[in-house]
Amino acid sequence: MTDAMQALFLYAQEHMVRSLLCQEHEYDNAHLSAEKQEEAFRTLLDETAQKCFDDLQDEQNLLSFFYGRALFRAGFQIAMELSR
């Protein structure tokens, strides 16, 4: 990702993503449901399993971050092609 794209990505993350997610009518419900399910699941785990689950979540979050960056780059590239 170029420096300019990185700056735009960070700006979008900090100033645009939340408002765009709020436009998705089911986002808040899905987010709340996922939090409740995670909380319920964690009560079933012992300390070792919770550590494994935390490690898995960290990797899933990293994959999600990379996926989001790739989506941003794809959108940026499409916008550049359309502006030609």
Side-chain angles (χ1 to χ4, degrees):
M1 194 177 295
T2 67
D3 289 342
M5 287 174 69
Q6 181 68 24
L8 290 171
F9 178 76
L10 291 174
Y11 178 86
Q13 252 186 333
E14 293 172 9
H15 301 285
M16 299 175 72
V17 170
R18 181 68 186 148
S19 65
L20 291 170
L21 285 173
C22 287
Q23 293 175 24
E24 297 292 335
H25 300 293
E26 293 299 315
Y27 175 78
D28 284 334
N29 290 337
H31 187 260
L32 183 60
S33 177
E35 283 183 342
K36 286 181 179 179
Q37 289 180 49
E38 178 183 340
E39 197 174 298
F41 182 68
R42 283 185 178 280
T43 65
L44 303 172
L45 303 177
D46 63 20
E47 190 174 316
T48 302
Q50 283 198 24
K51 170 73 170 100
C52 290
F53 183 63
D54 288 339
D55 292 346
L56 172 63
Q57 277 193 310
D58 288 345
E59 291 300 316
Q60 291 290 345
N61 288 338
L62 184 59
L63 289 172
S64 180
F65 172 76
F66 287 133
Y67 185 79
R69 279 176 50 112
L71 284 175
F72 179 83
R73 290 174 61 197
F76 194 89
Q77 289 175 1
I78 290 169
M80 295 299 290
E81 287 296 317
L82 291 173
S83 69
R84 288 184 181 182

